[in-house]
Amino acid sequence: MREHNSTRLDYLDAARSFALIQGIIFHASLSFMPIFIGWAVMDISTNERVPLFMLVSHSFRMALFFLVAGFFSHMTFQKLGLSGFLKSRLLRVGVPLVIGWFLLRPLLVSGWIMGAESMRGEVHIGNALLEGLKRLGQLPNEFLIGTHLWFLYYLLLVCVTALLLHYLIRVHTPTKAKVTPLLDSAINWLCHSRFAILVLCLPTAASLWFMDHWGIDTPDKTLIPDIPVTLLYCVFFLFGWLLQRQSSLIDGFVSLSWSKFILCIIAVAVTITLSGFETSRGHPQYIWLKMCFVVNYAIMMWTLVALTLGLCKRVFKGPNQFVRYISDSSYWLYLIHLPLVIWLQIAFAELPSYWLIKLLCISTITIFVSILVYDGLVRSTFIGAVLNGKRKPRILFKVSKQQYRTTTL
């Protein structure tokens, strides 16, 4: 999450918002998979292009989020110091994680129950909600299961990791004298070298190799940290953290070039092609196929992250009030979207309409309703202060004091 100050980098706000809103569309697309994947419900209208969208989208949206989070986290750390930074993370990440679980868990469980019922031709909303409330008694078991709030848990983990590394280097003076210039030089080189993406993909590919599946695992089964996932997102977070130490260098990393576009297109094409071999464990070249897959997947991740940041910087060059409003609301949108998405997927599942129309309707309704709730009940309240750093005036439901007095007389 980002702390607001006098100098906002609107294009980074836009990139973070894009990553979170893309997550809403990603989850909304899950019911249109051509094969049943264990999601809450499977729509009667599916399409074979949905898995391709999911493969590419899932590769970089959270990586982009963690890189931007690392950038703004170091900015906050410099501004507030250790105690202020810890207080900020606990308030803006820890509190939404705990309270969000209690509020969203019953709705998500009820959605899963109703989804199973809908595929049998019957839905009992009251019973599903009651069962969802009963599941609250299982705390702390299944704390992350069935929710999307794992990203907050892992954000806390990588923040702690960054702080530990920072103080381990700082405490030992000889180490600090050697390591700090080395890190600064490495980041400087990575932001200007044509081979930066290829270098960055090496630790990323190493983490991907140890995932349970080809691609990035979703660590929502247990509170025990998933080591490959933690290391993967630590790489992006720490890169963003180090970038902010020399903030002018980010311009080099996000610069747009034809070589990045071409490399990205090749990596996406190869990754999609090789993904079909995941289940072919008996293939004589399976190990080599997986090795090529994780390397290309890592290149795809880094090029898509860099290009997204570059395009946002190109489009959002100066202050933009609309971008700032969407940025402020995007955290709330992502926190509450999943129950809305699942309930809408159940409502649309049996309708005889084209899958893309349904996907657009589910995504649009979810975002529209979430923004209305945000503007009316969150933005100007203590909840908005927790999520955004301070209370903000309503925009959509703005009522002046004079109008209020007139309507109450």
Side-chain angles (χ1 to χ4, degrees):
M1 307 310 101
R2 128 175 233 352
E3 300 291 343
H4 296 278
N5 50 54
S6 58
T7 306
R8 287 187 65 161
L9 298 173
D10 287 72
Y11 78 93
L12 290 181
D13 281 339
R16 187 193 66 156
S17 302
F18 171 77
L20 294 175
I21 292 174
Q22 188 188 41
I24 298 175
I25 300 171
F26 173 84
H27 288 134
S29 69
L30 290 172
S31 62
F32 303 103
M33 286 283 287
I35 57 173
F36 183 66
I37 58 171
W39 188 245
V41 64
M42 184 175 182
D43 203 279
I44 62 171
S45 176
T46 61
N47 191 275
E48 70 243 3
R49 288 186 290 274
V50 174
L52 303 182
F53 162 75
M54 290 176 57
L55 175 67
V56 177
S57 173
H58 190 56
S59 71
F60 79 102
R61 60 185 182 86
M62 273 299 159
L64 173 61
F65 172 82
F66 273 88
L67 189 151
V68 176
F71 188 95
F72 286 132
S73 290
H74 187 265
M75 183 184 294
T76 304
F77 178 70
Q78 282 191 317
K79 180 182 178 182
L80 303 179
L82 176 60
S83 60
F85 177 77
L86 290 174
K87 181 180 177 181
S88 169
R89 296 309 89 179
L90 289 175
L91 182 64
R92 302 187 64 192
V93 181
V95 171
L97 171 62
V98 176
I99 295 180
W101 188 89
F102 278 101
L103 295 178
L104 299 179
R105 173 73 174 176
L107 296 174
L108 289 167
V109 170
S110 65
W112 239 263
I113 294 172
M114 288 189 293
E117 290 177 342
S118 71
M119 289 188 281
R120 297 193 300 266
E122 56 180 13
V123 175
H124 303 288
I125 298 177
N127 291 336
L129 286 171
L130 183 61
E131 182 61 28
L133 289 171
K134 290 180 180 178
R135 297 286 181 89
L136 288 175
Q138 297 179 353
L139 185 71
N141 294 330
E142 300 185 358
F143 183 76
L144 297 178
I145 294 177
T147 77
H148 57 302
L149 300 180
W150 64 265
F151 84 103
L152 294 176
Y153 180 64
Y154 278 79
L155 183 56
L156 289 174
L157 290 178
V158 297
C159 282
V160 171
T161 302
L163 288 177
L164 288 175
L165 290 173
H166 174 82
Y167 280 97
L168 283 174
I169 294 172
R170 183 178 178 181
V171 167
H172 192 247
T173 303
T175 302
K176 179 182 178 183
K178 292 179 181 179
V179 173
T180 302
L182 183 63
L183 288 175
D184 290 341
S185 298
I187 291 297
N188 183 64
W189 181 84
L190 287 171
C191 289
H192 294 99
S193 173
R194 294 181 178 181
F195 304 101
I197 298 295
L198 298 178
V199 173
L200 288 167
C201 84
L202 295 178
T204 308
S207 299
L208 290 167
W209 179 264
F210 294 99
M211 300 286 176
D212 291 334
H213 304 91
W214 286 24
I216 305 174
D217 294 337
T218 301
D220 60 352
K221 302 299 185 294
T222 174
L223 288 172
I224 300 174
D226 184 300
I227 301 302
V229 173
T230 305
L231 291 175
L232 180 77
Y233 290 128
C234 268
V235 169
F236 284 91
F237 185 90
L238 292 173
F239 185 73
W241 179 283
L242 293 173
L243 269 181
Q244 207 282 324
R245 283 173 49 83
Q246 306 175 78
S247 55
S248 61
L249 295 180
I250 196 172
D251 293 340
F253 177 70
V254 305
S255 62
L256 298 176
S257 65
W258 283 112
S259 60
K260 281 184 183 177
F261 280 104
I262 293 171
L263 184 61
C264 180
I265 292 170
I266 294 173
V268 170
V270 174
T271 301
I272 290 174
T273 302
L274 293 177
S275 64
F277 292 96
E278 180 178 2
T279 57
S280 304
R281 292 185 176 273
H283 195 286
Q285 304 300 325
Y286 182 81
I287 297 297
W288 289 105
L289 290 169
K290 181 179 179 180
M291 189 180 298
C292 290
F293 174 87
V294 297
V295 170
N296 279 276
Y297 193 98
I299 295 173
M300 176 173 69
M301 290 177 71
W302 279 103
T303 52
L304 284 172
V305 166
L307 289 172
T308 301
L309 290 170
L311 289 171
C312 286
K313 191 173 190 297
R314 178 71 61 86
V315 175
F316 306 106
K317 295 181 179 179
N320 187 307
Q321 294 303 315
F322 176 76
V323 170
R324 292 186 176 187
Y325 182 86
I326 295 299
S327 173
D328 291 337
S329 65
S330 62
Y331 187 17
W332 165 261
L333 263 62
Y334 193 75
L335 286 176
I336 71 161
H337 81 277
L338 196 55
L340 283 169
V341 164
I342 293 175
W343 283 48
L344 287 169
Q345 285 174 330
I346 295 169
F348 279 87
E350 301 296 324
L351 297 181
S353 298
Y354 187 55
W355 71 274
L356 186 56
I357 295 175
K358 292 184 182 182
L359 174 59
L360 291 174
C361 288
I362 292 170
S363 302
T364 302
I365 293 172
T366 298
I367 294 171
F368 180 72
V369 171
S370 300
I371 285 181
L372 289 181
V373 174
Y374 168 77
D375 197 86
L377 302 176
V378 173
R379 183 174 169 86
S380 62
T381 68
F382 74 95
I383 304 174
V386 170
L387 299 181
N388 297 329
K390 64 179 181 179
R391 302 185 187 203
K392 302 287 185 73
R394 295 186 179 101
I395 300 297
L396 302 179
F397 294 100
K398 187 175 182 179
V399 179
S400 68
K401 293 181 178 179
Q402 183 62 39
Q403 288 175 317
Y404 176 77
R405 294 193 188 101
T406 303
T407 57
T408 53
L409 289 177

